[in-house]
Amino acid sequence: MSDDSHTPSGSESRAERRWTASAFVLVAMAVPFLLPARYSPGTDWLLPAIEGFVLLTLIVVDPGRIDRPGRWVRALSIALVVAIAAGAAWGSARLVWDLLHGAPQTTVANELLVSGALVWSQTVLAFGFLYWELDGGGPVTRHLQPRPHPDLAFPQQLDPGLAAPGWRPVFVDYLYLALTNATAFSPTDVMPLARWAKLTMSVQSILSIVILSLVVANAVNLLG
């Protein structure tokens, strides 16, 4: 899990470091503690505990750079992303439900804006991890067995002259993709080529529109 931009070492580029994506896992773990308890499934510590355990296991079995193949390592990585996505899905669904039904938790403008911003940020993190883990089979496969055709086409892949030889996207690139897709509601500089990528980006855009429009509309109504 990391954000190293890769420059070649000899003729080959090095695998992505784990620390950057791990840091954002910690951010995702912190969000439930900042939200009202109803926006977390079960208790506010349940998913963070699961995410922390899986993250620690990954750091132990594949420390440093993300370059260890194997079904168990891949399964752990996917489990971590699923846990992050589950938390974002629950928080988003609960927030939208509360806004549509006028729950007491959404009747104070400042609290609503803070909760809305946290839930929205949670979805951005979740989709960033989804893109990072699914594109080209994940970071390990992108390093060891890069596919000839990308699922998500970054500008540096479309025009190799924009980057050093051996460039590959790392976690921050996917997080930026998730952020721009959530704010522009459409692709910006990264083009979805695979059908799963088109569907996932479409779902994120629709979800972002729903959350932002409901939160802003309700907050304006309360402030007015």
Side-chain angles (χ1 to χ4, degrees):
M1 306 172 142
S2 156
D3 141 67
D4 261 39
S5 179
H6 306 303
T7 53
S9 175
S11 61
E12 297 182 358
S13 56
R14 302 181 71 184
E16 182 176 356
R17 292 186 185 276
R18 186 171 292 281
W19 71 268
T20 301
S22 298
F24 280 99
V25 173
L26 297 179
V27 174
M29 291 169 58
V31 170
F33 296 106
L34 303 175
L35 284 165
R38 66 188 283 105
Y39 295 125
S40 299
T43 63
D44 54 8
W45 54 264
L46 177 61
L47 283 180
I50 295 172
E51 293 160 7
F53 173 77
V54 178
L55 175 61
L56 182 60
T57 305
L58 279 170
I59 291 173
V60 170
V61 300
D62 187 17
R65 296 184 182 273
I66 307 173
D67 56 5
R68 180 173 177 177
R71 288 184 297 174
W72 286 109
V73 176
R74 175 69 168 158
L76 285 170
S77 298
I78 292 176
L80 179 59
V81 174
V82 168
I84 294 171
W90 179 278
S92 301
R94 175 62 77 177
L95 177 64
V96 171
W97 175 272
D98 286 351
L99 288 168
L100 292 177
H101 291 82
Q105 293 81 5
T106 62
T107 57
V108 180
N110 291 342
E111 294 179 5
L112 172 59
L113 288 172
V114 170
S115 295
L118 288 170
V119 169
W120 182 81
S121 299
Q122 197 176 29
T123 66
V124 171
L125 283 170
F127 278 97
F129 278 105
L130 280 172
Y131 299 137
W132 178 70
E133 191 60 53
L134 295 179
D135 182 32
V140 174
T141 300
R142 287 195 298 272
H143 170 62
L144 297 178
Q145 297 175 320
R147 297 174 180 176
H149 306 293
D151 297 328
L152 293 161
F154 288 80
Q156 295 91 331
Q157 294 168 317
L158 297 174
D159 184 357
L162 296 176
W167 184 93
R168 287 191 307 273
V170 293
F171 178 74
V172 167
D173 299 302
Y174 293 100
L175 184 61
Y176 176 76
L177 162 62
L179 177 62
T180 55
N181 193 53
T183 51
F185 314 128
S186 64
T188 53
D189 62 332
V190 182
M191 293 295 105
L193 303 182
R195 293 187 178 95
W196 73 260
K198 295 177 181 179
L199 291 173
T200 305
M201 291 183 70
S202 298
V203 170
Q204 186 193 9
S205 296
I206 293 170
L207 179 61
S208 184
I209 290 172
V210 170
I211 291 175
L212 292 177
S213 60
L214 287 175
V215 169
V216 171
N218 279 269
V220 169
N221 183 55
L222 292 170
L223 291 170

